[in-house]
Amino acid sequence: MTATDPAKAASRPVPVSIDPSIAPPGTRNFRDAGGIPADKWHADQNGETLVPTHCCFCGVQCGMYLRVDKGGKVFGVEPRNHDINRMRLCPKGINAYQQVNHPDRLTSPLMRRSRDEEFKECSWDEALDFTVSEIRRIQAEHGNDAFGLLGGASLFSEKTYLVGKFARVALKTKHVDYNGRLCMVSAAGANKLAFGIDRAGNPFSDILLSDCLLIAGSNVGECFPVMTQYLWGARDRGATLIVIDPRETAVARTADIHVALKPGTDSAFFNAVLNVVIDQGLTDEAYLAANTTGWDEVKKTVAEYPPARSAEICGIPASQIVQVARVFAGADRAMAWHARGIEHHSQGVENCLSVINLCVATGNIGKPGAGYGTITGQGNGQGGREHGQKSDLLPGGRSITNPEHRKQICQIWGIEESELPGAGTSMMEMVWQMQRKEIRGLIGICNNPFVSLPNYAVVKDGYDTAEFHAQFDFFLSETAANAHVVFPVTTWAEDEGVMANAEARVVKHNKAQEPPAGVRTDTWVICELARRLGAGQHFDFPGSREVFEELRIASAGTVNDYYGITYDRLDETGGIVWPCPSTEHPGTPRLFEDGRSYHADGKIHLQVVEWHPPMDAYTEEFPLSLTTGRTVAHFLSGNQTRRLGALVEQTPRPWVEVHPSHGFRNGDPVRVVTRRGSEVFPALVTEAIRPDTVFIPYHWPVPTAANALTIDALDPRSKIPEYKVCAARIEAAERVDEVPAPPTAPGHEAYPETQVSRTDPLPPTAPQGRGTAERS
Amino acid sequence: MMGRTIFIDPGRCIGCQACVSACRECDSHRGKSMIHLDYTEPGMSVASLPSVCMHCEDPVAPCAEVCPADAILVTADGVVQQADTTRCIGCSNCVNACPFGIPKIDLQAKLQMKCNLCYDRTAYGLAPMCATVCPTGALFYGTLEELQAERPGVQVADSFVFGDVVVQTGVAMVVPADKVQWPVPGGLPVVEINGRDVR
């Protein structure tokens, strides 16, 4: 490894390499060939540079170059041949750069003393002083735990580390959590219980080696499009594809087996599959005996789930359960990948455990092409929880209730153990606490709960009840529009830092341009707040690099060991998978190759899973399942993507997918009613959904918010909300609810590109129906 | 057989429109996409298909042949260029002549817009933007040998029948190996795959 000057490495431009010698014969240049007067590509001529970095959006973390003009401004994107994505990008990735210099960017702090006032631009000193005085007032009157902090999993890991440290050391509150709580904590909880380590077991490249791929509850084509190349690659060499999803998605359409089960019945299904596997003698008893605990109890429990019983619960033919069991257990190397479809449930942890039981029982673990993985929704969904941003975790994935772990971190942070708060509550619980005035002040960083949390009425009430609310963001989100103070912070292209993708591969994002005047990095704002709160000595971080050095040390010796990962190594390798305990260690892309788990006894702890019905009961009044999900053009709460013209044009508004048996026609206004409220969407009539299920994409605010209708029931262990199933009914309505324009700061006019087709009844390119499950 | 070109594999398309977004990023037509995503069986299936210019070889570029303003240039290596903006009169002749429905007219600018195989990139050895980014490989840029190395047994077609007329194209379609004798949508039979009569 060669030493690199850190300052130079941070913003090292990579020149574009063009080799005219491989141009077609007779062609000297573009102008010769075509006569079109556009000779703009040639970076060398125009002073353009390409900065290698990664996409800011989902957990694939595709490598990309940002094109930077000679004035130092990001103006475009160029695909990058990175290991993860091999040049591929999805429409979100291609358009991501447009938010860097978007006219909606916040460029000055905004402030108001009460929510009745309009926002006014103010100086950084005013905004910081007001925030600090409100923190002090609330904590003096109501105790330290009356102030909360909510982070985000789109932040670099350095920033998530700072969020956790700031809450415990500067705010001295136990109430810190993050929006990854809405993402993959069920999978995290299950992985921790079974394996003692919270991450996917295999790299993406193992997908190519698999003989059978089971995708449970993931619309890969829309949520993780770049992963599709791995699926298709596996199929090119003969792998069988099984998709478990109530909807026939683009990937399910081409699957060998598509199981369209009723939402909220996943563990009943997987228990029955394991039941058949045992029945047919397809378990790997030698592996189970040598490497696991709890197998006898699991076996006893799944005996209660014969295919006939589960088929009735799941609303599918029993023959499909038998078929899946035979194909999965019969394959030489099988893999299961799952996502929010099975995790967003009040039994999300159980669902994931039931998949793990299946993989382990069939010996599909710790081998090339055999294992399990979780598809992370947010860019740093994996890394965002590893270093102390989650209410129950300290850096390195240490438990905040473990005395030994507390002692270790207090030594690193230089504080007394008595000063370190205990475990706090989860994101949704914090909102309930705001309603009850137990939490009276809140800082939100990089999240938009007004769109992303379930049961909007409760969320709005909670935030409205809070006496003080500050928000960090680079666009005025729906949640920031409710705040007292908004801090304008950098985009991913204006700072450097690391993220861990769905494989737990740590990748480095590089700085491509200077932030606009008036904008600061999240790191600067957190450190400045800490300084003004009197904890400056613990937050002396000039930038991400220094935070990362402390994070490395804080994680050393833990399961989530980052110690061997350095910025220089990341620049040279393109990513290292943790655990990586030393700077000579290559990282650990595949887990359990020696059969040992990360539990003290080295065994995989299989867990008993019992299915129970979803929390929202079906009745005559609410007979249908409402389920929610994403579209390919939008990301999470849409605060970023609902402002980018091409993506708005691609999917301008949400709709409700209904089966033809309900008698609606495409575009008909359909009122969707749940126990939380009702909203009217245009109907997308399709055979690709179960007759007893309706689907709404969730990226928009009220009155077109799926999350105004979803239930705020939580998984008791992971505290993830049950987004993927609630009881609903549909009825004809007069007209559809219109999508509101994204909020903008004072002085910023609504950006015309985001107004495209806002009143169209259906997205212009939305598929007008799909084949039935039987047809595939 | 064709050299380095685009191969379209509808079986892999997930309708994500990354190709459409990527095409907008090309410097020769920044902000406008020259690629269309079509739903082949609206109301029946989510199946989708990216449509790029097929760069007709025989007969050579019907769009160029009918252009009254000589605005459409075919290069020595068979790439049918987008209309030259200094010559195009926006008459729509090319739109009517194209058997694949590719060229579009920008009604405001009265100019034709069409895929030019990213000549600004391919002339310098780079793949077209759409095929570079396509997350699923539904658009592949390279030689047939490169495609077959990546997808063993893949079959492609570069001739298409329209009534009595057979059109040989520079861009090729991947055809499901076990379904080569199926009629193409609309009922017309596939007559030839890689020079082999499959009737």
Side-chain angles (χ1 to χ4, degrees), chain A residues 23 33 75 78 95 236 650, chain B residues 12 16 21 25 30 119 121 123:
Chain A
F75 76 101
E78 185 63 27
N95 289 290
D236 284 343
Q650 189 171 339
Chain B
R12 291 181 172 238
C16 74
S21 272
E25 293 301 315
R30 198 129 197 231
Y119 215 70
R121 299 173 66 84

Side-chain angles (χ1 to χ4, degrees), chain A residues 112-148:
Chain A
R112 57 183 174 185
R113 299 269 163 187
S114 90
R115 291 192 181 86
D116 305 328
E117 296 171 18
E118 294 290 312
F119 275 125
K120 285 207 180 81
E121 294 193 348
C122 67
S123 70
W124 274 94
D125 274 337
E126 280 177 282
L128 291 162
D129 286 343
F130 179 49
T131 304
V132 167
S133 72
E134 284 295 280
I135 293 169
R136 287 212 165 109
R137 178 185 67 76
I138 288 170
Q139 291 193 323
E141 288 173 15
H142 306 286
N144 287 349
D145 290 341
F147 208 92

Side-chain angles (χ1 to χ4, degrees), chain B residues 6-19:
Chain B
I6 288 180
F7 295 86
I8 306 170
D9 187 346
R12 291 181 172 238
C13 181
I14 54 172
C16 74
Q17 301 203 32
C19 51

Side-chain angles (χ1 to χ4, degrees), chain B residues 58-83:
Chain B
D58 181 21
V60 171
C63 58
E65 285 182 9
V66 300
C67 178
D70 274 347
I72 301 175
L73 174 98
V74 184
T75 60
D77 50 338
V79 173
V80 183
Q81 294 286 354
Q82 176 185 359

Side-chain angles (χ1 to χ4, degrees), chain A residues 616-625 671-678 726-731:
Chain A
D616 210 17
Y618 302 115
T619 57
E620 253 180 55
E621 199 187 352
F622 299 107
L624 302 176
S625 295
R671 184 180 305 281
V672 183
V673 190
T674 70
R675 294 186 174 93
R676 271 71 54 199
S678 77
C726 66
R729 71 166 181 272
I730 53 173
E731 51 198 43

Side-chain angles (χ1 to χ4, degrees), chain B residues 95-117:
Chain B
V95 174
N96 295 327
C98 176
F100 297 98
I102 297 299
K104 298 281 182 272
I105 296 291
D106 179 334
L107 289 172
Q108 275 187 326
K110 293 197 172 154
L111 288 174
Q112 180 245 37
M113 302 190 321
K114 185 188 77 63
C115 154
N116 60 3
L117 207 71

Side-chain angles (χ1 to χ4, degrees), chain A residues 192 195-199 396-398 555-562 578-581 591 598-599:
Chain A
K192 206 77 189 283
F195 301 114
I197 186 169
D198 162 16
R199 52 157 277 205
R398 294 178 177 91
S555 75
T558 66
V559 174
N560 303 42
D561 201 330
Y562 273 47
W578 66 261
C580 180
L591 299 175
Y598 285 77
H599 286 301

